[in-house]
């Protein structure tokens, strides 16, 4: 009997491909979104302490109580929202699991789900595995702003869910207060569910306010908010995230979560809870930390043939290479990695419609020396 793929169009992700290519050619890897510097010694020491304290067995399915309590406290500090640590907060094995589970909880065969391209690559496969159909709305460079009136026109009787991502991977776009209000109005008007992917929530630059779906009371009864400790604490390999949703949505979320991973990395949960309790203001330093890296990278590329697009949040920088090459972005990233020793991600892979944008994505979550070496190679590329 021949196996029929449920995802026939899906292959190895571009992130894996480019990281492998970077390794093969000893290129500087600015493609995949992970830091090349260590996490804080406080967090690592705390993990070590928790391991030797014996916290190495299954955690509760919803997450250890002390971490859920710290998540509730963090949400109150950042957004003024009071959430129930027991009924509304669930710890997951990374934000990607939380996104998958939330989609499975909501989407049924025939349902439509609105996403905005460029979009994180895990959304559509999860929707299709649930039997849904992804409706892609293309955003345009350089600002990648959403036309909410146009979105409203795309809503049909089959539309069940809208997925948003701010700060936005890969573009660095950040929702304004007006964007959040427009989204809340849309959700309320059409009775939609919403997944708000906020894994880069603490990386908002230039003094802008840190805004969130958490602050939109009109939509909270229909919204899953997904966050990432891996991104926040520079430990992407720990695969630890969480989802906040009202009790009735969390109940359905947990029914699926318990059969996907059941529980997540126990000593890391205790370690992060301890660090959040000991240094509650540590997260507030994250925006300045990454803004400094953004500015360093931009300064190093000043005078190069690359045109940098606005980056208001995340740790990704888009760059227009049209003055360097006429290759499409996939070919250009391969050429850049093999011939010039710097790996990046082509922007077109984040969109379902064929794109010829001549734009690529760099990750600047790197040590200063890494950014300096990469910029030196990039600046050699002349028109």
């Amino acid at each position: 009997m021949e196996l029929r793929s449920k995802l026939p169009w899906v292959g190895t992700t571009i992130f894996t491909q480019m990281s492998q290519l970077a390794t093969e050619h000893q290129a500087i890897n600015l493609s995949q979104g992970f830091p090349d510097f260590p996490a804080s010694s406080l967090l690592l020491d705390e993990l070590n302490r928790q391991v030797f304290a014996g916290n190495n067995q299954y955690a509760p399915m919803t997450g250890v109580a002390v971490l859920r309590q710290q998540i509730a406290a963090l949400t109150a500090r950042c957004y003024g929202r009071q959430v129930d640590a027991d009924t509304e907060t669930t710890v997951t094995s990374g934000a990607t699991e939380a996104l998958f589970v939330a989609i499975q909880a909501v989407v049924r065969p025939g349902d439509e789900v609105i996403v905005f391209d460029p979009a994180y690559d895990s959304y559509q496969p999860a929707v299709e595995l649930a039997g849904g159909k992804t409706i892609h709305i293309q955003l345009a460079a350089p600002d990648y702003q959403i036309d909410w009136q146009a979105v409203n026109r795309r809503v049909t009787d089959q539309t069940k869910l809208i997925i948003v991502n701010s700060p936005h991977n890969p573009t660095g776009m950040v929702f304004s207060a007006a964007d959040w209000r427009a989204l809340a109005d849309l959700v309320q008007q059409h009775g939609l569910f919403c997944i708000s992917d906020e894994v880069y929530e603490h990386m908002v630059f230039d003094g802008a306010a840190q805004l969130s779906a958490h602050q939109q009371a009109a939509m909270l009864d229909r919204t899953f908010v997904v966050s990432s400790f891996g991104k926040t604490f520079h430990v992407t390999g720990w695969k630890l995230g969480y989802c906040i949703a009202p009790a009735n949505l969390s109940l359905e979320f947990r029914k699926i979560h318990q059969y996907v991973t059941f529980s997540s990395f126990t000593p890391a949960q205790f370690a992060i809870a301890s660090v959040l309790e000991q240094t509650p203001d540590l997260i507030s330093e994250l925006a300045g930390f990454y803004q400094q890296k953004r500015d360093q990278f931009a300064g190093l590329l000043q005078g190069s043939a690359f045109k940098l697009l606005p980056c208001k949040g995340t740790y990704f920088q888009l760059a227009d290479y049209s003055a360097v090459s006429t290759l499409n972005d996939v070919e250009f990233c391969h050429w850049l990695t093999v011939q010039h020793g710097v790996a990046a991600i082509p922007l077109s892979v984040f969109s379902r419609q064929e794109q010829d944008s001549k734009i690529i994505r760099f990750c600047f979550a790197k040590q200063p020396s890494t950014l300096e070496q990469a910029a030196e190679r990039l600046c050699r590329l002349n028109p």
Side-chain angles (χ1 to χ4, degrees), residues 195-218:
I195 296 174
S196 186
D197 177 354
E198 301 187 17
V199 301
Y200 300 99
E201 62 190 307
H202 303 294
M203 304 172 200
V204 178
F205 305 144
D206 304 314
Q210 182 178 331
L211 304 177
S212 168
H214 286 302
Q215 299 160 314
Q216 301 301 315

Side-chain angles (χ1 to χ4, degrees), residues 237-304:
W238 289 14
K239 293 298 292 179
L240 207 61
Y242 59 95
C243 178
I244 294 176
N248 62 322
L249 298 187
S250 289
L251 178 63
E252 296 304 312
F253 181 96
R254 292 169 175 182
K255 288 178 183 179
I256 299 169
H257 163 68
Q258 68 183 342
Y259 293 116
V260 175
T261 61
F262 183 77
S263 64
S264 303
F265 188 22
T266 303
Q269 291 193 52
F270 282 104
I272 288 175
S274 178
V275 169
L276 285 171
E277 183 177 17
Q278 292 179 60
T279 57
D281 296 327
L282 182 65
I283 285 176
S284 64
E285 302 171 1
L286 201 61
F289 176 79
Y290 275 117
Q291 181 176 328
Q292 184 177 32
K293 290 187 175 297
R294 179 202 66 174
D295 294 346
Q296 180 199 8
F297 190 52
L300 290 167
L301 289 180
Q302 191 171 11
S304 76

